Amino acid sequence: MAIHSAGFGDLCLDKENGMALYRQLAEILRTQIADGVISPGRKLPSEAELSAAYRVNRHTVRQAISVLASEGLVYKLKGSGTFVAQPAAEIDYRVSRWTRFTENILELGRRPGAQVRRHVELPAPVRVAQHLGIASGEKVAFLEILRFVDEEPFCLTQSYFPVALTPGLTAKIQRYTSLYELLEREYGLKPMRTRSVFSVEFPSLEGAVALGIPRNLPVLQVESTMVLATGQPVEYSIGRFRADRCKLRVDFT
Amino acid sequence: MAIHSAGFGDLCLDKENGMALYRQLAEILRTQIADGVISPGRKLPSEAELSAAYRVNRHTVRQAISVLASEGLVYKLKGSGTFVAQPAAEIDYRVSRWTRFTENILELGRRPGAQVRRHVELPAPVRVAQHLGIASGEKVAFLEILRFVDEEPFCLTQSYFPVALTPGLTAKIQRYTSLYELLEREYGLKPMRTRSVFSVEFPSLEGAVALGIPRNLPVLQVESTMVLATGQPVEYSIGRFRADRCKLRVDFT
DNA sequence: GAGTGGTCTAGACCACTTA
DNA sequence: AAGTGGTCTAGACCACTCT
């Protein structure tokens, strides 16, 4: 493949100005991406091409690209090339007492989706038991759901429910697209969010694969506790959101 | 300097098992750190030592260490060495309608601190004007404050106030340790948080230096709008928290 | 001055994708 | 089969820190 871009002479990098070559190259590429010289989804020149064009070693090129990759600005496909990431139209996701994923996304005029990856009953781990106000080891229903917006992975959620409140939950989940529709129709439960804790974490290997991001891209994690009108805890969940796709908004009304 | 650690033979890395050498080495180091074999604050063996001990090239060692560095597990000091990061005792920071930094930290039994890095009046940028409900270009007081917990950088906050509501703010700020004490005593204002937007961002160069973190470590960003009892916006702020030091908690009471 | 991490080059082999 | 990124080695020079 030929290099289409004009201006790929060799004048560009300056060995004397004190800034490392790879930083200079990263800056050039960052600017070209920002300016749309290489548009989202398009392939960057290969490492060999950049190496030749800027007259630096291929490893120096790799170092430059790795900077951009660690910021999520580009992504690499083995054997295929390095591509400019989609600008990740940001989703303004509301977190409040009553908001639920499906309605939240529909209100934004986008298509919500979900895939149940795991559904089992298990003894409550200590941490989960504490949040649910039950004895450690008591049975809980565990759900792991990967959620999509416009068919793109958006967040991976692990939820725990006391089996006492939601008997048979793991069996019924496949028949619904919305978790909260299920809770209301099958059990007459209307959980209310009572606490959310926001933090930045790096995904597990499995989580990264599910969300379609590299392990070195951080996720926005939200631990939430849901209760009934009586105050009894009904759900403890850990949601891991793709940090490049959303901001989480809380309104203190 | 001699190598103190026992067990630094050469048996460890397996070239055949398919996992890259640098990943294997990263895993070994990660485990040693987790197990306390190398305790926080202590120096890792130098790149040259690791290279010799595990019989791999120094670049392979660097690649392994860079994995850990990008997770904030270790940090490097030029000319000095690579060190295990402090486990960063996590701070449970409450975000609510009325909570303020100083009280928040005092309640946790820790020492709050602050340093005003910038205080100027300037014409409101578009974005700021929108949030404050004023005309773009109208005068606002701009404050940049670096906050500490136990003398360690904790968050960097940029705040904007309409000058009309807080005349002379930038001149008075140096006389107070708590911003909200100032607002109440000098202007009789009791701002209430009405909205917070949480996201993950990478720090600017300057921000990274102030917070004492590398640029490739993400920060937890919180954009907040504060209003008076009348509903009039009085402050728009962007706080960037060290993600390794805190979780932000919201209670929906 | 010795030791450290930071940067750059050169060359090699591999597994994977694409055609 | 050709091209791509992934990994590893070897050797070099630098600026910085420590003592």
Side-chain angles (χ1 to χ4, degrees), chain B residues 15 20-22 57-60 78-79:
Chain B
K15 300 209 179 201
L21 296 182
Y22 81 91
N57 190 271
R58 183 183 152 217
H59 287 105
T60 306
K78 213 185 300 189

Side-chain angles (χ1 to χ4, degrees), chain B:
Chain B
M1 161 180 305
I3 301 177
H4 297 296
S5 326
F8 266 57
D10 57 19
L11 38 106
C12 310
L13 302 189
D14 175 4
K15 300 209 179 201
E16 309 306 330
N17 80 350
M19 174 143 67
L21 296 182
Y22 81 91
R23 289 184 197 275
Q24 293 181 47
L25 180 51
E27 211 42 60
I28 289 173
L29 293 173
R30 195 200 307 282
T31 305
Q32 292 194 347
I33 291 170
D35 293 352
V37 178
I38 318 173
S39 34
R42 299 279 297 147
K43 189 156 77 157
L44 257 65
S46 74
E47 294 176 353
E49 285 169 341
L50 287 171
S51 169
Y54 290 96
R55 301 184 183 277
V56 292
N57 190 271
R58 183 183 152 217
H59 287 105
T60 306
V61 171
R62 281 179 63 74
Q63 212 174 347
I65 291 180
S66 80
V67 171
L68 306 181
S70 80
E71 294 168 6
L73 212 59
V74 302
Y75 60 92
K76 309 185 199 186
L77 293 183
K78 213 185 300 189
S80 175
T82 301
F83 301 81
V84 177
Q86 297 294 336
E90 225 162 51
I91 290 168
D92 177 31
Y93 189 87
R94 266 185 313 132
V95 177
S96 73
R97 239 174 282 195
W98 299 109
T99 49
R100 305 303 171 207
F101 174 77
T102 306
E103 299 101 292
N104 225 339
I105 300 304
L106 284 174
E107 275 175 20
L108 294 172
R110 290 162 172 272
R111 278 160 298 153
Q115 174 200 339
V116 178
R117 289 162 49 91
R118 264 196 270 274
H119 51 101
V120 292
E121 296 189 356
L122 44 77
V126 177
R127 207 182 148 58
V128 172
Q130 281 172 353
H131 281 91
L132 289 178
I134 61 178
S136 161
E138 203 170 308
K139 272 276 187 70
V140 291
F142 170 71
L143 295 181
E144 182 175 285
I145 302 179
L146 179 62
R147 301 186 189 277
F148 300 82
V149 173
D150 295 344
E151 334 299 338
E152 279 280 321
F154 179 70
C155 87
L156 182 61
T157 307
Q158 301 179 324
S159 298
Y160 301 85
F161 304 81
V163 164
L165 288 173
T166 58
L169 175 63
T170 54
K172 291 173 171 141
I173 181 67
Q174 296 287 7
R175 297 209 298 277
Y176 286 84
T177 56
S178 164
L179 174 58
Y180 290 88
E181 212 172 279
L182 183 164
L183 290 174
E184 182 156 14
R185 295 214 189 150
E186 298 280 343
Y187 305 101
L189 299 175
K190 260 185 105 61
M192 178 182 88
R193 189 186 310 269
T194 183
R195 168 180 295 181
S196 287
V197 179
F198 300 81
S199 61
V200 179
E201 307 286 345
F202 288 94
S204 64
L205 175 56
E206 196 195 13
V209 171
L211 287 170
I213 57 173
R215 278 201 74 173
N216 60 359
L217 260 197
V219 296
L220 182 44
Q221 176 171 302
V222 185
E223 287 177 65
S224 293
T225 307
M226 312 288 200
V227 299
L228 300 178
T230 61
Q232 179 176 15
V234 63
E235 176 186 359
Y236 170 66
S237 73
I238 304 177
R240 296 180 176 95
F241 291 74
R242 274 184 57 162
D244 60 336
R245 293 203 71 191
C246 63
K247 298 187 174 202
L248 305 187
R249 172 160 58 95
V250 173
D251 289 302
F252 299 87
T253 49

Side-chain angles (χ1 to χ4, degrees), chain A residues 97-98 100 161 180 183-184 189-193 226-228 234-235:
Chain A
R97 241 174 281 194
W98 299 109
R100 305 302 172 209
F161 305 82
Y180 290 87
L183 290 174
E184 182 156 16
L189 298 176
K190 260 187 103 65
M192 178 181 87
R193 189 186 309 270
M226 312 288 199
V227 299
L228 300 178
V234 64
E235 177 185 357

Side-chain angles (χ1 to χ4, degrees), chain A residues 3 5-16 21 24-25 28 32 48-57:
Chain A
I3 300 179
S5 327
F8 265 57
D10 56 21
L11 38 105
C12 310
L13 302 189
D14 175 4
K15 301 208 180 203
E16 311 305 332
L21 296 182
Q24 293 181 46
L25 180 51
I28 289 173
Q32 292 194 347
E49 285 169 340
L50 288 171
S51 169
Y54 290 95
R55 302 183 182 277
V56 291
N57 190 271

Side-chain angles (χ1 to χ4, degrees), chain A:
Chain A
M1 163 185 298
I3 300 179
H4 297 296
S5 327
F8 265 57
D10 56 21
L11 38 105
C12 310
L13 302 189
D14 175 4
K15 301 208 180 203
E16 311 305 332
N17 81 350
M19 174 144 65
L21 296 182
Y22 80 90
R23 288 183 197 276
Q24 293 181 46
L25 180 51
E27 212 41 59
I28 289 173
L29 293 173
R30 194 199 308 283
T31 305
Q32 292 194 347
I33 292 170
D35 293 352
V37 177
I38 319 173
S39 35
R42 300 280 296 149
K43 190 157 75 157
L44 258 65
S46 75
E47 295 175 354
E49 285 169 340
L50 288 171
S51 169
Y54 290 95
R55 302 183 182 277
V56 291
N57 190 271
R58 183 182 154 218
H59 288 105
T60 306
V61 171
R62 280 178 64 74
Q63 213 174 347
I65 291 179
S66 80
V67 171
L68 306 182
S70 80
E71 295 168 5
L73 212 60
V74 302
Y75 59 93
K76 309 185 199 187
L77 293 183
K78 215 185 300 190
S80 175
T82 302
F83 301 81
V84 177
Q86 296 295 336
E90 225 161 51
I91 290 169
D92 178 32
Y93 189 87
R94 266 185 314 131
V95 177
S96 73
R97 241 174 281 194
W98 299 109
T99 48
R100 305 302 172 209
F101 174 77
T102 306
E103 300 101 293
N104 225 339
I105 299 305
L106 284 174
E107 276 176 19
L108 294 172
R110 291 161 172 272
R111 277 161 298 154
Q115 173 200 342
V116 177
R117 290 163 49 91
R118 264 195 271 272
H119 51 101
V120 292
E121 296 188 356
L122 44 77
V126 177
R127 205 184 151 59
V128 172
Q130 282 172 354
H131 281 92
L132 289 178
I134 60 179
S136 160
E138 202 169 309
K139 272 276 186 70
V140 291
F142 170 71
L143 295 181
E144 182 175 285
I145 302 179
L146 178 62
R147 300 185 189 278
F148 301 81
V149 173
D150 295 344
E151 332 301 337
E152 280 280 321
F154 179 71
C155 87
L156 183 61
T157 307
Q158 301 179 324
S159 299
Y160 302 84
F161 305 82
V163 165
L165 288 174
T166 58
L169 173 64
T170 54
K172 292 175 171 136
I173 180 67
Q174 296 288 8
R175 297 209 299 277
Y176 286 84
T177 58
S178 164
L179 174 57
Y180 290 87
E181 211 173 282
L182 183 163
L183 290 174
E184 182 156 16
R185 294 212 190 151
E186 298 281 343
Y187 305 101
L189 298 176
K190 260 187 103 65
M192 178 181 87
R193 189 186 309 270
T194 183
R195 168 180 296 181
S196 287
V197 178
F198 300 81
S199 61
V200 179
E201 307 286 344
F202 288 93
S204 64
L205 174 56
E206 196 195 10
V209 171
L211 287 170
I213 57 173
R215 278 201 75 174
N216 60 0
L217 259 197
V219 295
L220 182 44
Q221 177 171 302
V222 186
E223 286 177 66
S224 294
T225 307
M226 312 288 199
V227 299
L228 300 178
T230 61
Q232 180 176 15
V234 64
E235 177 185 357
Y236 170 65
S237 73
I238 304 177
R240 297 180 176 96
F241 291 74
R242 274 185 56 163
D244 60 336
R245 294 204 68 192
C246 64
K247 298 187 173 203
L248 305 188
R249 173 160 58 96
V250 174
D251 290 302
F252 298 87
T253 48

